[in-house]
Amino acid sequence: MTAVLEARGLKKSFGRNEALRGIDVSIRRGEIVAIMGPSGSGKSTLLHCLAGVTVPDAGIVRFNGTAISTLDETARGRLRLGDFGFVFQFGQLLPELTAIDNVAVPLLLAGERRAAASARAAEWLVRLGLDGKAQRRPQELSGGEAQRVAIARALVTKPAVLFADEPTGSLDSLAAEGVMKLMIELVRESGTTVVVVTHDSRTAAYADRDIIVRDGRVSVALGEAA
Amino acid sequence: MAFLVRLALLGGRSSLGRPLGIVLGVALGMALFLLMLGAVIALDSRDDRTAWLNATTESSAIPADRAAPRGAILAARDETSAAGEVIARLIVAAPAETALPIPGIPSAPPAGSYYASPALQALVARLPPDRLGNRFGSFAGTIGDAALSSPDTLVAIVGAAPDAVRALPGAVYLTSFAASPTDLGAAYQIVILIGAIGLFFPVGLLIMIVTKLGAVSRIERFATLRLIGASPRQIAFVVALESFLTATVGAALGVVLAAVLRPLAAIIPLNGGSFFPQDLAVPASWSLLAVGAMVVAATLASAIGIRRAGISPLGATRAIRERTPRPWRILPLLVGAGLIGYTAMNAGDIDGTVMTFGIVGGFAIVAAGIVVIGPWLTYQLSGLVSRRAGSAAALIAGSRIRMTPVATFRSVSGLVIAVFMVTVFATAAGGVMQSLRVDGVDGTLPADALLADLPAGADADAVIAATLAVPGVNAVIVGRAVDPIATEVHPGSVAWAAEDFPALGFAAVPDAPFATFDRTSYLASQQEGRLEVVAVRGAAVGVAGAIVVRTDGTAEAIDRARTAIEVGAGPAAAPITRVEAVQLGIQRILHELAVVAYLGAFVSIAIAGCSLAIATAAAVIDRRRVLGLLRLMGMPASQLHRMVGFEAAVPLVGVLGLSVAAGYLVADVIVENLAGGIDVGWPEPMYFVALALGLILALGAVAATVGTIRRNTAVSATRFE
Amino acid sequence: MDSALTLLGLVSLKPSYGYDLKQLYDRLFGLRKPLAFGQVYATIARMIRDGLLAPLGEEAGDGPDRKRYAVTPDGEERLAEWMFTPDVPSETLQNNMFAKTVVALLTGRDAQRLLDLQRACHMEQMRALTRQKQSAGLMHVLLYDHALFHIEADLRWIDMTAARLTQLRAEVLA
Ligand SMILES: Nc1ncnc2c1ncn2[C@@H]1O[C@H](COP(=O)(O)OP(=O)(O)OP(=O)(O)O)[C@@H](O)[C@H]1O
Ligand SMILES: [Mg+2]
């Protein structure tokens, strides 16, 4: 199987602080990978590098064989819009928009017409069990509901890769389970690759395998072999 | 508590920008306010200094044909012009033994010499003597500033022989130069007050916008303080303290800034002249009062505002979403319009003060009404925008505005008000200008011509010959005195030969050898119907009584011809062009005011543009997380800019139309009823310049935030987890 | 899990035949290890002996599986006691993993590797359970959750230990 995402020798420092000290990862198409490790080990930084949010100081990131770490911001923006989806711990919904509009935004950004975008957004809200909540604003949703809206928004453009950083970090076990279960069902259905950063082993257990990051390196005991 | 204060005021780098912004904004607002106040006070007081020019019309003046009181100065007051400027002239003959000092000069000028204000002397020096200087004689000295209202004042005190003065119209004996200043009149005061209000709105809005800088991040910080146990009262105290400090420093700085800007502001001509810088100084007690009022208002407003924001330990719940604007917001606009309409309709029946109050008050209420109705219109429009939006930029902008219509409108309100003001003044000025236009109408003095009397005793032939010798003079047409007993015409009428009528500006030649016509209509701006020409029998026509001098129309030729006439026939000849005749009186004042009002409008548009830029940048900084998120999702920077643009455009589009319409109507009502039956027409071209300037400023303000957007939304600027 | 008391609880629902009891037990709890018939009858016999259960009526001539059983008052009492006596948390302070880690540190072996291997094994187990759980009914989901939380507890211990290895080595070697 081909690697959809591949990173070689990633390094990234913030001032004196070396967040990544040479990371190699390879993620196959359709694979669900959990990135785990202690706090401050560089998980989020790795995710941002893989997703073309942050440019690494050294090393290369390839998406479908194209080096994305050398693209300019505009091109990476286009890539993020078209091929990647994002889910974070919280606060990622636009507070001024209703749930349905939040989901429709990426479609509109991609140039879809309003009516079509709204229809598809509504469809996704139903799939995530949010029918009846379409007109709510983020402040009027529970944490779990907001995360499900975020997942709908991340998946509505049918991205090749879904990046999630602590998607269940602010939820209780039951809500976390609901969110993960839905997310996994949906990505399995569409064959989306998922990279999920988490420190919660039950969330990580939904993945096909896990990558342990420790002190800016992939833990060697298992590493990529697993 | 000290800890709390330090934390609240100095917590973090970004919080330093906020007090700094407030201090600067308050200082600028305060300085502008003080300068405006200074100008209003100075307008009232500085005319006292030139009141002495009106002494000849005071009741204490004794007509020249009576017996001369001891030591009285024989004086006549008139006006002459050169290079398009009007010069006030006092012609005096002082007996040697007089003890009456003439204001501004050490002693009365001997016959054949003159004193001039510095501005006039500069003009004299600039123009060749045959254009201006020769009319006055030899220069004896300058008139002191204490006797001048403005550095631009053009005044001459000319010495002449007693007989020559006595022959002038309106000659009197003066025993005192005490006189009351020229009355500005209700119309003038109304316009000045309106101008002050028009400037005051943007200044107030600027201060409001500036004090809301960084409010979001501040509210977050206060929420944290509440979480760790600060009471709402302590928070209110900290906020009030912050306002108190920033307002005090800002206001004090504003006083200094006003003093620094005074020489610059003094250049702006108002009511016929720029200011002496010290005229714009506001008495210290007033400055102190203004500073105090500003500090108290700012402190109270912020303390109350923070309580209303309802900061709970979990953040400002109520601040996130504003209350939906309700339709009652239409009311103030209607009330204001009603007040103006009512006052203007009944202009004839009510007292001047009441009328001033009604018009100015109505105007202020309409302006406030536009500010009040703005959020409601913005809200309505934003609903439409967010429902119909086809792009993410429009959708997000529309939805955001719908949640915060008041704050969104506030950032453009200065511009909206400025446009309202400009419309009022431009429309009014357009109407007035139209009434001042001097067209080449059949039966009026041609624009290139001077009409002058030939007083009895003047050597008509010499005057005519001298005038004809002036370069640029094409013809001198002689009108002859009519014997009023032999003909049924007004005494003093002048008859003109029939063959001269085409040169006089008439299309038709009368079928009598001589004819006369009404002088006032001949000099009017527009001829309604044809001027009635009355035939005069040749037998009744006598000596030369008046001349019409046709020139090549250049200012030089007109000035030179005037000098020749005045030198030959004396100031009593009073040569005048039709432009001068038309622009004398209230209409000229109105015109001048309109020009001044433009200046005010430009200033307020500039302030409003600044406010918009500040507000837009502040909004971007407050929302950098959301904007960064959009960038992260792949929203191109250009779309982000468009979104920010939308947020300014929606309220502008929603309310600009209203302010233009309201401005037009208000101007129509005011001009129609105050300036007597002038219809407002199409605004002057300047109006469109001002409008365009406003829009460019708005665009520029939003464009100026591009850098802020880029810096604050770079995906690395915010951490997403 | 005490299967005898669990059976007693099932009988308290309504007097039942041995066969039905086994079916119900298996459906609810027998996911991994169904009860053998023999075990059911042996347990019933023991509880009759202890006076917790009693056969119902005289349905003559029938074999053991043609008898219905009901809970006696003694049985009810025992059931209530079981139900409302909290289980003492099991004493696992001295478990194997801990021992292995300490020995590895003492003897200079790679303790980190040990923990990583253990962690991988636990994760593998969690992934397997999570996969099964996804297609299970709610009854079994609870069971899987129980197992998952326990493994998670171990994993947390492993992570904490890994994070403190340096400190731990210093203490062990002191
Ligand atoms: N923008 C930044 N500026 C400076 N330092 C940073 C920045 N982002 C990350 N770091 C540093 O880089 C290191 C790795 O951070 P990172 O956010 O990747 O950790 P993490 O594994 O995601 O931690 P956590 O589980 O707590 O989210 C940390 O030491 C952090 O302080
Ligand atoms: Mg992180």
Side-chain angles (χ1 to χ4, degrees):
Chain A
M1 266 231 255
T2 48
V4 60
L5 261 181
E6 187 171 28
R8 289 285 161 251
L10 284 192
K11 289 192 179 154
K12 178 80 190 170
S13 303
F14 297 101
R16 290 272 204 72
N17 183 358
E18 290 178 78
L20 301 181
R21 311 170 182 230
I23 284 202
D24 299 324
V25 256
S26 173
I27 295 166
R28 290 185 293 274
R29 176 153 309 152
E31 200 177 20
I32 301 174
V33 175
I35 298 179
M36 301 189 74
S39 188
S41 57
K43 305 183 294 288
S44 299
T45 309
L46 173 59
L47 184 94
H48 291 165
C49 285
L50 291 177
V53 174
T54 309
V55 181
D57 298 337
I60 192 165
V61 179
R62 283 204 190 83
F63 168 66
N64 283 338
T66 331
I68 62 169
S69 40
T70 52
L71 294 176
D72 67 0
E73 171 53 30
T74 316
R76 280 184 285 130
R78 219 174 297 131
L79 187 76
R80 292 197 297 265
L81 177 61
D83 295 304
F84 296 162
F86 292 90
V87 178
F88 299 108
Q89 185 169 344
F90 60 84
Q92 55 203 307
L93 298 180
L94 305 181
E96 46 271 86
L97 297 188
T98 57
I100 188 165
D101 286 343
N102 257 296
V103 178
V105 161
L107 294 173
L108 292 177
L109 282 177
E112 196 153 322
R113 312 209 28 163
R114 178 75 186 273
S118 291
R120 255 173 77 191
E123 220 173 86
W124 274 89
L125 287 181
V126 171
R127 288 169 92 166
L128 283 149
L130 290 165
D131 23 348
K133 307 263 160 72
Q135 293 307 321
R136 300 261 191 104
R137 282 169 215 277
Q139 313 86 274
E140 301 157 357
L141 293 171
S142 77
E145 287 162 351
Q147 283 309 85
R148 280 186 276 156
V149 174
I151 289 171
R153 186 178 71 184
L155 292 178
V156 71
T157 50
K158 301 204 185 315
V161 186
L162 174 66
F163 292 96
D165 195 344
E166 303 282 11
T168 58
S170 54
L171 304 180
D172 71 17
S173 303
L174 193 59
E177 185 179 299
V179 164
M180 281 312 288
K181 205 170 153 205
L182 267 169
M183 189 168 106
I184 296 303
E185 269 170 26
L186 291 170
V187 297
R188 291 256 189 249
E189 207 172 282
S190 55
T192 309
T193 307
V194 178
V195 181
V196 52
V197 167
T198 181
H199 61 241
D200 177 0
S201 45
R202 273 174 310 114
T203 297
Y206 284 93
D208 299 324
R209 66 180 167 109
D210 50 336
I211 295 173
I212 315 288
V213 178
R214 204 169 275 140
D215 287 334
R217 293 197 180 87
V218 172
S219 176
V220 278
L222 312 144
E224 280 292 79
Chain B
M1 202 66 184
F3 159 75
L4 214 65
V5 170
R6 213 169 51 237
L7 202 65
L9 301 188
L10 305 170
R13 197 156 27 95
S14 63
S15 59
L16 216 77
R18 179 186 141 77
L20 207 70
I22 297 178
V23 164
L24 290 182
V26 169
L28 187 62
M30 192 69 179
L32 286 170
F33 174 74
L34 286 178
L35 289 173
M36 263 152 45
L37 188 65
V40 170
I41 299 174
L43 274 185
D44 234 21
S45 62
R46 70 174 184 178
D47 284 345
D48 293 349
R49 292 197 299 259
T50 28
W52 58 273
L53 271 170
N54 298 338
T56 58
T57 54
E58 286 290 308
S59 53
S60 63
I62 298 154
D65 50 9
R66 304 252 191 90
R70 263 190 66 80
I73 293 178
L74 191 56
R77 155 86 197 272
D78 72 351
E79 277 166 353
T80 186
S81 352
E85 307 267 10
V86 178
I87 300 156
R89 178 166 56 183
L90 190 72
I91 303 164
V92 295
E97 77 280 6
T98 187
L100 180 62
I102 302 176
I105 58 176
S107 62
S113 68
Y114 72 103
Y115 284 90
S117 64
L120 174 61
Q121 192 48 33
L123 190 65
V124 168
R126 187 160 60 80
L127 298 176
D130 61 347
R131 275 188 71 179
L132 179 60
N134 292 350
R135 295 180 211 170
F136 302 130
S138 60
F139 180 57
T142 49
I143 302 172
D145 287 350
L148 302 174
S149 62
S150 148
D152 301 340
T153 311
L154 297 175
V155 184
I157 302 173
V158 181
D163 285 345
V165 178
R166 206 172 288 117
L168 294 174
V172 290
Y173 287 111
L174 292 179
T175 51
S176 150
F177 280 93
S180 48
T182 315
D183 186 14
L184 288 179
Y188 212 117
Q189 260 159 356
I190 287 177
V191 179
I192 293 214
L193 279 174
I194 284 179
I197 292 172
L199 266 176
F200 185 75
F201 261 97
V203 168
L205 288 166
L206 172 72
I207 293 178
M208 258 171 77
I209 286 171
V210 154
T211 50
K212 293 225 153 58
L213 273 180
V216 168
S217 59
R218 200 169 69 127
I219 282 178
E220 277 164 16
R221 198 160 68 242
F222 285 147
T224 314
L225 288 182
R226 287 274 284 120
L227 195 62
I228 61 176
S231 72
R233 276 196 44 205
Q234 282 172 313
I235 298 285
F237 174 81
V238 169
V239 168
L241 185 71
E242 185 206 44
S243 296
F244 176 80
L245 291 178
T246 49
T248 308
V249 175
L253 206 63
V255 174
V256 176
L257 194 63
V260 171
L261 289 180
R262 219 177 276 145
L264 208 67
I267 299 172
I268 299 169
L270 209 59
N271 187 20
S274 56
F275 291 84
F276 292 114
Q278 66 271 22
D279 275 356
L280 289 181
V282 175
S285 54
W286 290 51
S287 296
L288 220 62
L289 204 69
V291 169
M294 167 74 93
V295 169
V296 169
T299 309
L300 280 183
S302 61
I304 293 169
I306 204 80
R307 285 219 146 177
R308 279 241 306 261
I311 294 181
S312 80
L314 300 175
T317 37
R318 268 165 283 175
I320 293 170
R321 189 171 191 172
E322 290 171 0
R323 231 172 289 150
T324 309
R326 306 247 163 254
W328 65 259
R329 285 175 175 271
I330 304 170
L331 286 183
L333 188 64
L334 296 181
V335 169
L339 185 56
I340 289 191
Y342 177 82
T343 312
M345 291 314 176
N346 301 288
D349 313 332
I350 50 182
D351 162 87
T353 324
V354 176
M355 188 169 77
T356 307
F357 177 79
I359 299 267
V360 174
F363 177 85
I365 297 176
V366 168
I370 292 177
V371 174
V372 171
I373 201 177
W376 185 74
L377 285 177
T378 306
Y379 179 78
Q380 301 300 331
L381 196 60
S382 71
L384 195 73
V385 169
S386 61
R387 259 199 312 282
R388 311 295 303 271
S391 73
L395 171 63
I396 298 168
S399 305
R400 172 175 153 78
I401 297 170
R402 207 163 166 72
M403 285 180 78
T404 56
V406 178
T408 310
F409 177 73
R410 192 187 300 121
S411 55
V412 299
S413 52
L415 215 49
V416 166
I417 285 298
V419 165
F420 169 67
M421 313 289 309
V422 181
T423 309
V424 170
F425 285 115
T427 315
V432 173
M433 284 304 279
Q434 229 159 11
S435 70
L436 291 182
R437 219 172 51 233
V438 176
D439 301 325
V441 183
D442 178 27
T444 57
L445 181 66
D448 61 39
L450 279 165
L451 172 64
D453 291 328
L454 291 177
D459 181 347
D461 292 339
V463 172
I464 292 167
T467 310
L468 262 175
V470 168
V473 167
N474 295 332
V476 176
I477 304 142
V478 183
R480 298 185 175 279
V482 180
D483 177 0
I485 303 164
T487 321
E488 300 238 318
V489 292
H490 291 295
S493 287
V494 176
W496 306 83
E499 68 268 23
D500 288 335
F501 268 69
L504 289 172
F506 289 81
V509 178
D511 50 5
F514 288 95
T516 186
F517 45 78
D518 176 48
R519 181 190 163 103
T520 313
S521 305
Y522 185 53
L523 288 173
S525 69
Q526 277 137 333
Q527 205 55 73
E528 310 229 328
R530 283 198 42 177
L531 178 58
E532 193 194 1
V533 175
V534 180
V536 177
R537 279 182 296 122
V541 173
V543 296
I547 48 174
V548 165
V549 181
R550 295 293 303 263
T551 70
D552 57 11
T554 58
E556 289 93 334
I558 292 176
D559 285 348
R560 288 195 170 101
R562 194 193 308 271
T563 307
I565 296 168
E566 281 193 10
V567 168
I576 194 167
T577 65
R578 190 154 60 93
V579 173
E580 290 157 13
V582 165
Q583 296 193 350
L584 281 173
I586 180 119
Q587 290 179 333
R588 196 181 87 212
I589 294 173
L590 276 179
H591 167 60
E592 192 180 72
L593 275 174
V595 172
V596 164
Y598 269 118
L599 255 163
F602 277 126
V603 171
S604 49
I605 284 184
I607 299 174
C610 288
S611 306
L612 178 57
I614 293 172
T616 310
V620 166
I621 292 170
D622 275 348
R623 297 159 67 209
R624 64 183 149 216
R625 193 186 157 78
V626 164
L627 299 180
L629 199 69
L630 287 167
R631 283 294 291 281
L632 185 96
M633 282 163 59
M635 187 168 191
S638 61
Q639 285 237 32
L640 271 186
H641 299 158
R642 202 171 314 152
M643 184 179 102
V644 173
F646 258 118
E647 290 179 7
V650 168
L652 267 183
V653 167
V655 189
L656 266 194
L658 175 76
S659 35
V660 167
Y664 189 86
L665 287 177
V666 167
D668 182 55
V669 173
I670 292 180
V671 169
E672 176 110 36
N673 293 282
L674 291 187
I678 297 173
D679 281 330
V680 297
W682 199 239
E684 296 184 285
M686 269 287 265
Y687 173 64
F688 297 98
V689 173
L691 263 193
L693 188 82
L695 286 181
I696 289 170
L697 264 171
L699 276 179
V702 175
T705 60
V706 163
T708 319
I709 296 177
R710 184 152 296 147
R711 262 195 312 286
N712 283 284
T713 62
V715 280
S716 53
T718 322
R719 302 244 309 139
F720 294 101
E721 329 231 8
Chain C
M1 183 169 122
D2 191 325
S3 54
L5 285 167
T6 308
L7 276 175
L8 187 64
L10 294 183
V11 178
S12 79
L13 187 64
K14 68 173 200 287
S16 314
Y17 297 106
Y19 177 83
D20 294 340
L21 272 180
K22 176 195 150 46
Q23 290 300 321
L24 184 59
Y25 183 96
D26 284 352
R27 187 160 74 73
L28 294 178
F29 310 109
L31 181 68
R32 220 85 61 68
K33 213 167 76 194
L35 279 182
F37 270 110
Q39 202 182 342
V40 174
Y41 290 116
T43 308
I44 290 176
R46 197 168 66 243
M47 286 196 289
I48 292 176
R49 185 197 67 203
D50 294 346
L52 303 177
L53 271 186
L56 245 194
E58 293 295 312
E59 285 169 56
D62 295 334
D65 57 330
R66 293 308 315 151
K67 266 206 186 94
R68 285 199 301 164
Y69 305 96
V71 181
T72 64
D74 272 1
E76 289 289 358
E77 205 171 299
R78 177 82 187 82
L79 207 52
E81 185 193 332
W82 175 59
M83 194 78 44
F84 300 111
T85 308
D87 293 341
V88 178
S90 56
E91 180 68 68
T92 50
L93 272 176
Q94 298 284 350
N95 79 9
N96 210 24
M97 274 191 300
F98 174 72
K100 285 202 276 189
T101 310
V102 171
V103 171
L105 287 175
L106 268 177
T107 58
R109 291 190 170 87
D110 191 347
Q112 178 74 64
R113 183 174 138 78
L114 176 161
L115 290 172
D116 279 349
L117 286 171
Q118 187 60 58
R119 191 180 187 292
C121 175
H122 269 62
M123 273 312 297
E124 195 46 59
Q125 179 78 14
M126 275 188 93
R127 277 197 285 272
L129 287 172
T130 303
R131 264 195 302 279
Q132 289 166 25
K133 175 178 144 183
Q134 268 170 287
S135 48
L138 183 57
M139 229 25 220
H140 293 154
V141 162
L142 291 183
L143 212 58
Y144 284 123
D145 273 343
H146 191 253
L148 282 168
F149 278 117
H150 275 272
I151 301 175
E152 189 196 3
D154 277 354
L155 270 170
R156 286 192 178 189
W157 180 85
I158 290 170
D159 283 342
M160 290 291 273
T161 309
R164 289 171 168 166
L165 266 186
T166 326
Q167 248 178 302
L168 193 62
R169 180 177 293 120
E171 199 148 307
V172 164
L173 294 179

